[in-house]
Amino acid sequence: MSGGITLAALLQQAEARLQAAGVSFGHGTTCARDEAAWLVLWRLGLPLDLDLDAHGQRPVTPEQAAAVAALIEERIRTRKPAAYLTGEAWLQGVPFDVDERVIVPRSLLAELIAAAPQADALDPWLSPDTRRVLDMCTGNGSLAVLAAMAWPDVTVDASDISTGALSVAARNVTRHGLQHRIRLLHADGWRGLEGRYDLILCNPPYVNRASMAALPPEYRAEPALALDGGDDGMDFVRHLLAHAAQHMTEHGVLVLEIGHERAHFEAAFPTLPVHWLHTSAGPDAVLLVTHEALTLAQPDLPADPRASTP
């Protein structure tokens, strides 16, 4: 990648290099073309939504081409997600700070939150009195920020066991001017949380042990604490559901992401009635359960695998 070339040619070279190297995607992009565009435009200081067809003949200096080449090679050599190299990721069109203390935000819950004002996702399940929201396992705080944006009348508690993650979340809360509506809490699951919530959002560690072992390097670069759900992926979920009802208001609902683990979820909670919500991943990755359903099913729920009660 040297010499006086155009932006289009530089992008084509970067795409070909990523494809040849066999890197994995899924942290904001799904293919080499999109990842190349992200990295090239970011390194050149150009808008990420630049019309590449209209600006493809834009000249690139040898120095700029060399800087792009170095970034592409760093992506290949380290196998780190591109967001760790740029320090930023986007979720539902909203920018967020990221670093290696948090997983790259990509939760399917964001789709449902973003659709909430149109009342075709979560709103039908929410009470008119919904005011308190909990984002458990908040990571970089992206879901908490999106929830505060979607529902102007709510306050959000965003909790995480990782103090490093909470530091990143604090940057994002400040970045979007939501300090007065989002409270960051250091908590290990329910331990450290008090009160009841009208809506609980949770994108927990849910990857089963076999899948963890098969993850490509880009995913292994993320904090395992935020991904590893134990043998069947349900370790944290058992803790979550064992105590959720006592932390929910009478009209409260819990919305839980479990990715590809529906079979494991249903094996672990065979008598719990839940509602499966449709996302871009299909109808099997996100579920909703009401306070009433959790209360009625409480005697049949698996015991909390953690020794002490929160």
Side-chain angles (χ1 to χ4, degrees), residues 151-221:
W151 297 294
D153 294 332
V154 307
T155 58
V156 183
D157 283 353
S159 68
D160 206 287
I161 190 175
S162 168
T163 55
L166 289 172
S167 295
V168 180
R171 296 208 311 261
N172 285 313
V173 170
T174 300
R175 177 174 185 170
H176 294 288
L178 292 167
Q179 304 94 313
H180 62 298
R181 294 182 50 219
I182 298 177
R183 180 173 63 156
L184 299 174
L185 301 172
H186 183 232
D188 179 3
W190 291 117
R191 300 188 189 102
L193 297 178
E194 298 178 351
R196 292 178 179 266
Y197 296 93
D198 305 305
L199 170 63
I200 298 171
L201 305 166
C202 188
N203 178 24
Y206 58 68
V207 182
N208 69 68
R209 191 61 47 79
S211 295
M212 282 293 297
L215 288 176
E218 283 81 357
Y219 289 86
R220 293 201 298 270

Side-chain angles (χ1 to χ4, degrees), residues 127-153:
S127 162
D129 298 322
T130 296
R131 294 294 181 271
R132 295 197 72 212
V133 176
L134 170 65
D135 174 26
M136 183 181 283
C137 305
T138 194
N140 80 330
S142 53
L143 292 181
V145 167
L146 291 176
M149 290 177 170
W151 297 294
D153 294 332

Side-chain angles (χ1 to χ4, degrees), residues 106-114 122 135 143 146 201-203 255-257 279 286-287:
R106 53 186 178 272
S107 174
L108 296 166
L109 298 180
E111 299 177 14
L112 300 172
I113 295 170
L122 296 183
D135 174 26
L143 292 181
L146 291 176
L201 305 166
C202 188
N203 178 24
V255 186
L256 174 66
E257 179 171 340
T279 69
V286 176
L287 62 93

Side-chain angles (χ1 to χ4, degrees), residues 3-299:
I5 62 174
T6 65
L7 177 60
L10 185 63
L11 177 59
Q12 185 176 28
Q13 291 178 20
E15 177 186 2
R17 185 71 185 97
L18 290 171
Q19 284 181 327
V23 299
S24 294
F25 307 107
H27 294 87
T29 65
T30 59
C31 64
R33 172 71 178 182
D34 290 346
E35 185 119 340
W38 181 7
L39 292 173
V40 169
L41 292 171
W42 178 80
R43 176 53 76 202
L44 296 180
L46 297 172
L48 297 184
D49 60 354
L50 184 73
D51 185 338
L52 294 173
D53 291 331
H55 295 272
Q57 297 310 304
R58 181 186 184 122
V60 176
T61 68
E63 292 76 17
Q64 290 175 319
V68 167
L71 180 61
I72 296 298
E73 292 307 314
E74 183 180 6
R75 169 72 176 89
I76 293 168
R77 175 178 55 80
T78 65
R79 287 303 203 267
K80 292 179 181 179
Y84 287 162
L85 304 181
T86 66
E88 186 174 64
W90 293 71
L91 193 60
Q92 292 298 314
V94 179
F96 294 99
D97 288 8
V98 296
D99 63 29
E100 292 174 56
R101 294 174 291 178
V102 298
I103 63 172
V104 178
R106 53 186 178 272
S107 174
L108 296 166
L109 298 180
E111 299 177 14
L112 300 172
I113 295 170
Q118 285 71 52
D120 59 358
L122 296 183
D123 272 19
W125 294 97
L126 303 183
S127 162
D129 298 322
T130 296
R131 294 294 181 271
R132 295 197 72 212
V133 176
L134 170 65
D135 174 26
M136 183 181 283
C137 305
T138 194
N140 80 330
S142 53
L143 292 181
V145 167
L146 291 176
M149 290 177 170
W151 297 294
D153 294 332
V154 307
T155 58
V156 183
D157 283 353
S159 68
D160 206 287
I161 190 175
S162 168
T163 55
L166 289 172
S167 295
V168 180
R171 296 208 311 261
N172 285 313
V173 170
T174 300
R175 177 174 185 170
H176 294 288
L178 292 167
Q179 304 94 313
H180 62 298
R181 294 182 50 219
I182 298 177
R183 180 173 63 156
L184 299 174
L185 301 172
H186 183 232
D188 179 3
W190 291 117
R191 300 188 189 102
L193 297 178
E194 298 178 351
R196 292 178 179 266
Y197 296 93
D198 305 305
L199 170 63
I200 298 171
L201 305 166
C202 188
N203 178 24
Y206 58 68
V207 182
N208 69 68
R209 191 61 47 79
S211 295
M212 282 293 297
L215 288 176
E218 283 81 357
Y219 289 86
R220 293 201 298 270
E222 298 182 295
L225 182 67
L227 298 172
D228 191 346
D231 286 345
D232 65 351
M234 294 295 111
D235 282 2
F236 187 92
V237 177
R238 290 185 179 90
H239 167 74
L240 172 72
L241 296 183
H243 309 286
Q246 68 195 63
H247 291 274
M248 298 166 68
T249 58
E250 184 178 356
H251 56 260
V253 296
L254 183 154
V255 186
L256 174 66
E257 179 171 340
I258 58 163
H260 301 293
E261 306 291 345
R262 178 168 179 170
H264 284 139
F265 178 89
E266 291 181 334
F269 307 97
T271 63
L272 179 62
V274 303
H275 304 273
W276 294 94
L277 304 179
H278 198 280
T279 69
S280 61
D284 302 317
V286 176
L287 62 93
L288 179 147
V289 59
T290 65
H291 173 266
E292 180 182 15
L294 282 166
T295 301
L296 293 175
Q298 196 70 44

